[in-house]
Amino acid sequence: MNRPSRRTFAAFVLATLGLGWLPCGHAAEPIKIGLVAALSGQSALSGEAITRGLQIAIDEVNAQGGLLGGRRLELVRRDDESNPAKGVTAARELIYREKVAVIFGGIDTPVALAIAPLANQAKVPFMNPWAAGTAITRNGAKDNYVFRVSAVDELVDKGMLAYARKTFNTSRFGLLMINNPWGESNQKGLVAALKEQGMEPVASEKFEASDVDVTPQLTRLKAAGADTIFLVANVGPAAQVVKSMDRMGWKVPVVSHWGVAGGRFTELGGPNASNVHFVQTYSFYGKLSPVGTKVVAALQARYPDIKQASDITPAVGVANAYDGMRLTALAIANAGSTDGEKIRQGYYGIDRYEGLIKVYIHPFSATRHDALSENDYVWAQFIDNRIVPVGMKP
């Protein structure tokens, strides 16, 4: 048996005592970024889009040397199955077992609303790249750890009204809301938006996510004289609305929140799903900025199914997550630490960032945790199963 040399033994002792090799080991410890999202079910396409946006941003940061003296970012995912209870369980596991520095997630507003109190209690920043419920970021917490790069319901609601009046020249609006906290959020927002214009809905209806026929609600809206439907629902329920309208033979404009963009809407809703117009925060169609060109090239290099920009869908999941991750990297760098409170302050210290969606100037403050405004929205529809800005050819 060969005995270890004195030099080898001395190195071992130094390493054991923490006097040798430790700085390198510490520098190599990854900074974990958590993701809680629908990775299965009807909204899985949204979860995959968010994953890809995060991963491209993480790849860029790591290629530039990582953060905090060379520590690489590492994405750790959990599936919430669009279920609030499962979302909380997943977030708790990421916080307390995986020790993530920041959590991303919340495709569904009910899931995000359930995770927000946990994040605030644990003092771990929660960055939301999708769910639009107003109360997610405006949650009343004294020390608020919830941030968002996404749409905000009360702003979207004003945009839906302005878009419908301008595009369709209509004035008798019927509300059709999914019966959950997201629907309630938009119910309030749309009523408030109409009131500001001296108007009110001709009728308002709710329906369940499990409903396979929405004809009764639509019949009442039609009887009330609605000439436009404001729709708030995710993919599956929204598809039932379109199919129910088809069965009725009722054709009026449908202006929707972006829940329809999160999965297989045209497949589930049929050919008339393309008549639904909905809000987005970004599109890869048209002339791209240098950042947009860079992101498309990175996506094509990493994901074989992306041959061209139009294959990136839903674009908002990719774009919101990408910008949210790059802003988070800046916050961690500002913090000089993975401590949650320091990262929270690090978000407030972001000065300028040239992102995918826009150039961000002081995007966050103690009283503003939403980085996007109504000026950052675009309107789209499905054409040939692709999300295309209204008026633009695929």
Side-chain angles (χ1 to χ4, degrees), residues 12 118 164 171 202 247 261 277 279 301 336:
F12 172 78
L118 173 64
S171 60
V202 297
R247 287 193 291 269
H277 291 200
V279 70

Side-chain angles (χ1 to χ4, degrees), residues 78 88-100 118:
R78 294 292 184 273
V88 170
T89 299
R92 194 179 301 277
E93 181 179 339
L94 289 172
I95 291 171
Y96 295 109
R97 182 180 299 177
E98 296 292 344
K99 307 294 185 183
V100 299
L118 173 64

Side-chain angles (χ1 to χ4, degrees), residues 257-315:
H257 210 311
W258 65 7
V260 299
R264 300 175 291 125
F265 181 58
T266 52
E267 175 188 338
L268 297 172
N272 286 330
S274 61
N275 295 330
V276 178
H277 291 200
F278 51 93
V279 70
Q280 299 280 268
T281 53
Y282 187 77
S283 172
F284 284 98
Y285 279 91
K287 184 176 176 57
L288 297 177
S289 68
V291 177
T293 301
K294 177 184 67 173
V295 169
V296 170
L299 288 164
Q300 290 174 323
R302 195 178 229 280
Y303 302 104
D305 60 302
I306 297 180
K307 308 297 183 185
Q308 53 193 352
S310 60
D311 294 329
I312 305 170
T313 185

Side-chain angles (χ1 to χ4, degrees), residues 121-142:
Q121 181 182 29
K123 298 184 177 181
V124 173
F126 175 32
M127 171 60 77
N128 194 304
W130 191 287
T134 303
I136 294 169
T137 49
R138 305 175 193 184
N139 53 51
K142 179 182 177 182

Side-chain angles (χ1 to χ4, degrees), residues 45-324:
L45 191 61
S46 303
E48 178 61 22
I50 291 171
T51 298
R52 292 182 174 192
L54 289 175
Q55 192 61 62
I56 293 302
I58 286 171
D59 289 347
E60 289 180 357
V61 173
N62 288 342
Q64 293 165 0
L67 296 171
L68 307 183
R71 296 174 63 183
R72 293 174 60 83
L73 298 179
E74 177 184 308
L75 182 62
V76 184
R77 303 193 304 166
R78 294 292 184 273
D79 187 0
D80 63 34
E81 301 177 37
S82 297
N83 181 294
K86 291 182 178 180
V88 170
T89 299
R92 194 179 301 277
E93 181 179 339
L94 289 172
I95 291 171
Y96 295 109
R97 182 180 299 177
E98 296 292 344
K99 307 294 185 183
V100 299
V102 176
I103 292 180
F104 278 73
I107 292 173
D108 302 89
T109 286
V111 177
L113 288 172
I115 293 175
L118 173 64
N120 284 332
Q121 181 182 29
K123 298 184 177 181
V124 173
F126 175 32
M127 171 60 77
N128 194 304
W130 191 287
T134 303
I136 294 169
T137 49
R138 305 175 193 184
N139 53 51
K142 179 182 177 182
D143 295 323
N144 186 7
Y145 285 77
V146 186
F147 297 82
R148 177 163 45 194
V149 177
S150 186
V152 182
D153 278 347
E154 69 174 34
L155 301 180
V156 171
D157 295 333
K158 293 179 180 180
M160 289 170 69
L161 175 57
Y163 180 80
R165 297 182 74 181
K166 178 181 178 181
T167 305
F168 302 112
N169 194 29
T170 50
S171 60
R172 295 180 60 81
F173 303 106
L175 311 188
L176 187 53
M177 308 284 109
I178 192 71
N179 189 20
N180 67 17
W182 186 40
E184 293 171 9
S185 173
N186 285 280
Q187 171 81 20
K188 294 177 182 177
L190 284 164
V191 169
L194 286 163
K195 187 175 181 180
E196 285 183 1
Q197 301 299 318
M199 308 168 72
E200 60 182 23
V202 297
S204 182
E205 295 286 339
K206 295 181 180 180
F207 68 113
E208 303 297 330
S210 58
D211 287 349
V212 295
D213 185 7
V214 196
T215 301
Q217 293 93 327
L218 290 166
T219 299
R220 290 190 288 269
L221 292 173
K222 183 178 181 181
D227 59 12
T228 301
I229 301 298
F230 286 145
L231 174 64
V232 176
N234 282 330
V235 176
Q240 297 301 334
V241 171
V242 172
K243 290 195 291 187
S244 295
M245 293 181 73
D246 288 346
R247 287 193 291 269
M248 292 172 58
W250 189 32
K251 294 184 179 180
V252 293
V254 178
V255 177
S256 174
H257 210 311
W258 65 7
V260 299
R264 300 175 291 125
F265 181 58
T266 52
E267 175 188 338
L268 297 172
N272 286 330
S274 61
N275 295 330
V276 178
H277 291 200
F278 51 93
V279 70
Q280 299 280 268
T281 53
Y282 187 77
S283 172
F284 284 98
Y285 279 91
K287 184 176 176 57
L288 297 177
S289 68
V291 177
T293 301
K294 177 184 67 173
V295 169
V296 170
L299 288 164
Q300 290 174 323
R302 195 178 229 280
Y303 302 104
D305 60 302
I306 297 180
K307 308 297 183 185
Q308 53 193 352
S310 60
D311 294 329
I312 305 170
T313 185
V316 295
V318 174
N320 295 353
Y322 175 85
D323 277 0

